[in-house]
């Protein structure tokens, strides 16, 4: 970008514009996944919706590439692109909670940590992700899966309205009453349709939860996973935990001689009474004796940030996504074979239940692709050193290939990789055709294409 163009861009916005000549550029250009090494033309730290409008208009007038970044957690690095103008929404992170009507409005670049803390001050929460540094924006637009999903639905199911800057540079309010087609599309369709500068969510009375992680021997895996699969079908909606595989982390509650061992994990979150939570967790102990556990009452916001330290900014990431209906013995066997090979302490395989309240919403009511799944699974390769890329990526690919016969078509768009673009139609499922129609209406030139892209 020439100095003149840069000056012109700077003159149109309140927020700072950071270009390759700025000392901050090298750090600011990076996203959460350090495998992504892109050099945008400029990064605009927007401070208002008007800043966002100005950048969209500037980019479209100049025919420049545009990328949009909220929490910057996209594993494929959709929040940046070589030569693009990046709209960085991080400064749009204000949260305003209305405890009377149980709603909360949050800026399009907020993270779940900031949002949960503000809501916790009123004893409220809504469904968000399990790591607090993830962006509210990208996570909600793709659906939004977390501890509260069985009880209260996906994050996008709790969205009441949003303020969206369109590809034409207009600011629209979207809700069930206004611009309902766009409101439908942004609830699961990802960042394909515009830039959300503000989300308003329905909130729920969630303060203290009973939960935390338990780790079991691999030898107990068949019993633990079979029990979980049966339990979760009819489990009370107050239960929002998930099973998975991890290497035992170096944390005080893990016996020193077990750190680094591959184990089966069950992370629980119970939003009902503490006494009932204790009973539910005790029922897991009846299936097998845990190797280690750290379970008890804690604030919801504390559980939401409990694993942040295992996944700091700067790791290398490669992930795969799958939807699963059930876990027959044959599938459990495959999970155990590949789960036993977890290569790194930050790597994780999680099977997030998406039944309960997620199934109360009809398949066509929002754009989210798969209301028929019981689990949204992620095989999350996360490791610190780029020299280990081949080995970690191989583990993720082998695991994914092995379980594919036991999965539904497609995967959760927010867990899918850059090399999953060919699966876009499957990922959005039966809503894909309608999503394309809305895309043609609001973004016919595909301005917003750094995402699991729905071509107009
Ligand atoms: C450590 C980690 C934990 C995770 N845990 C969960 C989890 O528990 N549950 C879950 O559902 N997902 C989870 N995810 C996946 C997560 O939902 C996606 O990575 C999501 O894209 C992150 O959103 P972001 O705003 O941080 O990302 P970004 O990289 O900023 O953006 C991702 C995409 O969303 C678009 N986007 C972001 N904000 C906006 C906005 N305001 N308006 C328009 N477009 C926008 C971007 O253009 C881009 O295409 C996790 C990811 C990581 C890395």
């Amino acid at each position: 970008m020439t100095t003149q163009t840069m000056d012109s861009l700077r003159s149109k916005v309140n927020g700072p514009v950071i270009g390759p000549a700025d000392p901050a550029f090298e750090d600011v250009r990076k996203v959460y996944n350090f495998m992504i090494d892109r050099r945008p033309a400029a990064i605009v730290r927007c401070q208002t919706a008007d800043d966002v409008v100005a950048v969209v208009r500037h980019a479209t007038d100049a025919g420049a590439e545009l990328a949009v970044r909220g929490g910057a957690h996209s594993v494929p690095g959709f929040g940046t692109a070589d030569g693009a103008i990046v709209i960085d929404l991080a400064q749009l992170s204000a949260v305003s909670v209305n405890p009377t009507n149980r709603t909360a409005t949050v800026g399009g670049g907020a993270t779940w940590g900031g949002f949960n803390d503000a809501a916790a001050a009123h004893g409220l929460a809504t469904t968000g992700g399990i790591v607090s540094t993830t962006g509210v924006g990208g996570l909600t637009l793709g659906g939004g899966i977390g501890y509260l999903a069985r009880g209260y639905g996906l994050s996008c199911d709790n969205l009441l309205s949003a303020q969206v800057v369109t590809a034409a540079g207009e600011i629209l309010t979207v809700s069930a009453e206004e611009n309902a087609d766009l409101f439908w599309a942004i609830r699961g369709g990802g960042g394909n349709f515009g830039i959300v500068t503000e989300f308003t969510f329905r909130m729920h009375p969630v303060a203290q939860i009973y939960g935390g992680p338990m780790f079991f021997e691999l030898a107990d895996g068949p019993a633990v996973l079979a029990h979980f699969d049966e339990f979760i079908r009819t489990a009370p909606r107050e239960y929002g935990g998930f099973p998975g595989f991890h290497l035992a982390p170096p944390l005080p509650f893990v016996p020193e001689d077990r750190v680094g061992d591959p184990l089966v994990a069950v992370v629980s979150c119970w939003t009902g009474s503490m006494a009932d939570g204790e009973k539910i967790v005790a029922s897991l102990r009846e299936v097998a004796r845990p190797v280690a556990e750290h379970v008890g009452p804690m604030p919801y916001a504390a559980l939401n940030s409990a694993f942040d330290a295992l996944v700091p900014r700067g790791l290398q990431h490669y992930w795969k996504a799958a939807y699963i209906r059930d876990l027959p013995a044959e599938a459990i066997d495959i999970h155990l074979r590949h789960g036993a090979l977890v290569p790194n302490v930050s790597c994780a395989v999680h099977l997030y239940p998406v039944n309960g309240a997620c199934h109360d919403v009809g398949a066509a009511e929002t754009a989210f692709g798969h209301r028929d799944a019981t689990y949204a699974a992620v095989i999350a390769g996360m490791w610190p050193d780029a020299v280990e890329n081949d080995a970690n990526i191989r583990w993720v690919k082998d695991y994914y290939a092995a379980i594919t016969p036991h999965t539904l078509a497609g995967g959760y768009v927010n867990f899918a990789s850059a090399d999953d673009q060919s699966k876009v139609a499957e990922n959005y499922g039966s809503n894909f055709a309608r999503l394309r129609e809305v895309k043609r209406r609001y973004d016919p030139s595909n301005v917003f294409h750094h995402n699991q892209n729905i071509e107009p």
Side-chain angles (χ1 to χ4, degrees), residues 172-394:
L172 299 181
T173 298
V174 304
S175 68
E177 290 78 37
E178 266 180 279
N179 301 301
D181 53 350
L182 188 50
F183 182 56
W184 175 85
I186 65 165
R187 287 176 293 157
N192 275 284
F193 303 93
I195 303 171
V196 178
T197 49
E198 210 171 79
F199 295 91
T200 297
F201 289 100
R202 184 186 302 118
M203 304 300 286
H204 308 276
V206 177
Q208 197 77 349
I209 61 95
Y210 192 92
M214 299 168 105
F215 291 99
F216 299 91
E217 299 285 5
L218 288 176
D220 291 324
V224 171
L225 292 177
H227 168 83
F228 191 94
D229 192 43
E230 200 186 322
F231 159 74
I232 206 65
R233 268 149 222 292
T234 54
R237 290 180 176 201
E238 289 92 336
Y239 185 84
F242 58 87
F245 293 93
H246 277 269
L247 295 186
L251 295 173
F253 70 91
V254 177
E256 243 172 71
D257 62 337
R258 301 307 307 268
V259 169
D261 287 355
L263 298 171
V264 174
V266 176
V267 183
S268 293
C269 176
W270 172 264
T271 57
S273 78
M274 296 301 108
D276 286 347
E278 231 176 300
K279 277 188 216 148
I280 290 268
V281 168
S283 71
L284 291 169
R285 277 188 215 105
E286 280 164 23
V287 181
R289 197 158 65 88
V291 174
E293 62 171 81
H294 186 62
V295 182
M298 66 181 91
Y300 168 72
L303 181 62
N304 183 243
S305 54
F307 306 113
D308 291 4
L310 287 176
V311 286
R313 176 181 190 249
L315 298 177
Q316 310 282 309
H317 289 251
Y318 181 81
W319 294 20
K320 282 286 178 192
Y323 284 116
I324 293 173
R325 195 165 281 149
D326 52 16
L327 292 173
E330 206 181 305
I332 289 178
D333 190 48
I334 296 168
H335 280 285
L336 276 157
R337 222 175 314 135
H338 290 268
L341 303 176
V342 177
N344 188 280
V345 74
S346 295
C347 289
V349 178
H350 289 169
L351 278 62
Y352 299 108
V354 284
N355 59 357
C358 304
H359 284 187
D360 291 348
V361 179
E365 273 182 65
T366 69
F368 183 77
H370 285 266
R371 298 280 176 183
D372 51 345
T374 309
Y375 304 93
V378 63
I379 306 161
M382 305 186 263
W383 62 98
D385 195 337
V387 301
E388 293 165 11
N389 285 8
D390 288 350
N392 281 272
I393 292 171
R394 174 60 40 218

Side-chain angles (χ1 to χ4, degrees), residues 32 68 70-74 89 108 129-130 135 138-139 145 194 196 412 414 450:
Y32 177 81
V68 181
H73 268 224
S74 159
L89 300 168
I130 67 148
L139 186 138
I145 296 167
V196 178
Y412 175 40
N414 278 350
H450 293 291

Side-chain angles (χ1 to χ4, degrees), residues 14-30:
N14 290 310
V17 179
I18 299 156
D22 290 293
F25 182 77
E26 276 310 307
D27 185 52
V28 174
R29 77 181 176 89
K30 290 184 187 136

